[in-house]
């Protein structure tokens, strides 16, 4: 019930993994799953996918262009607009499969992708539910807070120097670490030693294609990232947002603010106490809590509706 697949996104080959639920009969609903900053589909997604599969929906996990198993140069270019486009093209691909109920497709994202799926849900009417886990919602505010005033100024200086060099030399520019064990000494996008430890451990165990760096231009694009205008356009699509209480990495207060801006009456907020941003990657008990919430939401808004439609058509 599992196969490797590929599709084109604006001409570039994107690769992913499609898994159908056990004993699937007839077209089944599907959830398109994407990761966040420097992630590949082997990081965390398979763990969350298990819960969604158990709920009765198929999953399509994919690597964005420029990363993982997918094609695209330069490598490790993290362009949120392109990644959102990849999400939509993944929806197109999965909805065109005979095994999938095209009228019941949802999207799932974590961290950076937790923000992406809000944009996808706001702009793609084919998407019937959105699951947003610990999302990035305002890149500028996020970077300003996590770096602090002095280091944020250093970050902006590095970004502007790289912009000048890219324009002068016609290249993709420089690169910077995703995180660092010595954030006070080494600039990185996400200045938390714990991020470095967790992702390098996952890379060693499960995700060899993970690269813990990006182009500097990727961080510049993060500073312009803001999903609030999209959240305000989700009028009736069901949205589940999962937030880690006290999350200082993607700012749980900003996440709740974004949730409150969604006008849809079919929205649900799950705040998980006594967890952290990174524990939703590394602690199985915490993954299971978030996964169970996602499974319940998928069952209600995709699987039950798909089953009812099939019964009416029979």
């Amino acid at each position: 019930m599992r196969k490797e697949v590929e599709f084109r996104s604006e001409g570039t080959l994107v690769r992913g993994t499609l898994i159908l639920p056990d004993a699937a009969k007839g077209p089944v609903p599907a959830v398109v799953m994407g990761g966040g900053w420097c992630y590949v589909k082997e990081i965390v997604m398979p763990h969350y996918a298990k819960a969604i599969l158990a709920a009765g929906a198929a999953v399509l996990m994919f690597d964005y262009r420029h990363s993982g198993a997918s094609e695209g140069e330069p490598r490790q270019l993290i362009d949120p607009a392109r990644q959102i486009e990849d999400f939509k093209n993944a929806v197109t691909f999965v909805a065109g499969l005979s095994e999938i109920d095209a009228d019941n497709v949802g999207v799932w994202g974590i961290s950076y992708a937790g923000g992406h799926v809000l944009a996808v849900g706001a702009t793609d009417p084919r998407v019937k539910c959105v699951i947003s886990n610990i999302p990035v919602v305002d890149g500028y505010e996020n970077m300003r807070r996590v770096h602090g005033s002095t280091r944020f100024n250093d970050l902006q200086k590095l970004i502007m120097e790289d912009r000048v060099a890219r324009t002068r030399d016609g290249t993709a520019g420089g690169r910077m670490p995703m995180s660092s064990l010595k954030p006070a000494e080494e600039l990185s996008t996400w200045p938390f030693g714990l991020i470095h430890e967790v992702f390098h451990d996952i890379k060693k165990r499960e995700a060899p294609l993970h690269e813990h760096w990006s182009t500097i231009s990727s961080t510049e694009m993060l500073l312009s990232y803001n999903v609030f205008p999209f959240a305000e356009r989700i009028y009736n699509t069901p949205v589940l947002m999962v937030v880690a209480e006290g999350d200082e990495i993607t700012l749980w207060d900003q996440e709740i603010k974004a949730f409150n801006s969604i006008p849809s009456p079919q929205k649900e907020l799950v705040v998980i106490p006594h967890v952290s941003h990174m524990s939703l990657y590394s602690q199985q008990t915490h993954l299971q809590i978030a996964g169970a919430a996602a499974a319940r939401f998928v069952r209600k808004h995709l699987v039950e509706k798909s089953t009812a439609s099939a019964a009416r058509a029979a």
Side-chain angles (χ1 to χ4, degrees):
M1 309 299 282
R2 174 191 179 107
K3 61 181 177 180
E4 301 306 306
V5 297
E6 56 188 30
F7 58 91
R8 296 279 175 181
S9 186
E10 297 184 312
T12 300
L13 198 63
V14 172
R15 296 187 173 93
T17 301
L18 175 71
I19 310 177
L20 300 179
D22 291 339
K25 296 180 180 179
V28 295
V31 176
V32 175
M33 305 180 71
W37 197 268
C38 290
Y39 306 165
V40 291
K41 57 186 172 62
E42 288 81 10
I43 291 183
V44 176
M45 277 188 267
H47 299 282
Y48 286 103
K50 290 178 182 178
I52 294 171
L53 288 162
V59 296
L60 172 63
M61 304 175 288
F62 73 96
D63 292 340
Y64 304 110
R65 284 174 284 173
H66 308 282
S67 66
S70 295
E71 297 182 352
E73 296 291 338
R75 301 307 290 172
Q76 298 303 111
L77 173 67
I78 304 175
D79 183 332
R82 294 188 189 187
Q83 292 185 341
I84 289 167
E85 188 69 15
D86 291 347
F87 252 110
K88 293 182 179 181
N89 291 327
V91 169
T92 298
F93 169 76
V94 79
L97 300 176
S98 60
E99 307 99 309
I100 301 303
D101 177 0
D103 293 326
N104 285 285
V105 175
V107 291
W108 178 102
I110 189 167
S111 200
Y112 210 9
H116 294 355
V117 294
L118 295 174
V120 174
T123 57
D124 192 330
R126 299 172 300 172
V127 171
K128 296 305 189 292
C129 79
V130 174
I131 302 170
S132 171
N133 297 274
I134 48 177
V136 176
V137 296
D138 181 339
Y140 181 86
E141 178 66 10
N142 215 145
M143 290 292 97
R144 188 183 67 81
R145 277 211 228 167
V146 300
H147 285 278
S149 298
T150 300
R151 292 302 273 168
F152 185 64
N153 289 339
D154 295 338
L155 179 67
Q156 288 186 304
K157 182 175 183 291
L158 174 67
I159 287 171
M160 288 301 102
E161 289 172 349
D162 186 71
R163 170 164 285 281
V164 170
R166 295 198 315 268
T167 303
R168 182 189 64 229
D169 303 332
T171 67
R175 53 188 274 180
M176 66 186 301
M178 176 182 178
S179 66
S180 172
L181 291 173
K182 300 178 179 180
E185 302 171 19
E186 179 185 35
L187 272 174
S188 61
T189 306
W190 299 96
F192 298 90
L194 181 60
I195 292 178
H196 188 282
E197 293 171 3
V198 169
F199 277 98
H200 278 80
D201 179 61
I202 295 175
K203 177 181 175 70
K204 184 186 303 182
R205 290 185 290 105
E206 300 176 319
L209 293 181
H210 170 69
E211 297 289 347
H212 208 74
W213 62 275
S214 71
T215 64
I216 296 174
S217 63
S218 300
T219 304
E220 181 178 5
M221 285 184 276
L222 173 59
L223 292 176
S224 298
Y225 186 77
N226 190 315
V227 302
F228 279 91
F230 295 106
E232 294 163 1
R233 291 168 53 182
I234 304 177
Y235 298 114
N236 198 40
T237 303
V239 177
L240 170 67
M241 185 179 291
V242 178
V243 172
E245 182 183 29
D247 184 353
E248 78 281 12
I249 293 179
T250 52
L251 311 182
W252 76 307
D253 61 307
Q254 292 296 301
E255 293 166 347
I256 293 173
K257 181 179 177 182
F259 175 82
N260 288 336
S261 75
I262 298 170
S264 174
Q266 302 190 83
K267 66 179 181 179
E268 180 179 343
L269 176 67
V270 174
V271 180
I272 306 178
H274 314 303
V275 302
S276 68
H277 187 94
M278 295 312 298
S279 72
L280 291 180
Y281 291 96
S282 58
Q283 300 294 324
Q284 285 297 320
T285 53
H286 298 169
L287 269 73
Q288 288 167 3
I289 295 170
R296 177 176 46 77
F297 203 73
V298 165
R299 188 179 297 111
K300 176 180 178 180
H301 293 288
L302 295 181
V303 176
E304 291 179 2
K305 291 181 179 178
S306 180
T307 301
S309 294
R312 287 194 296 270

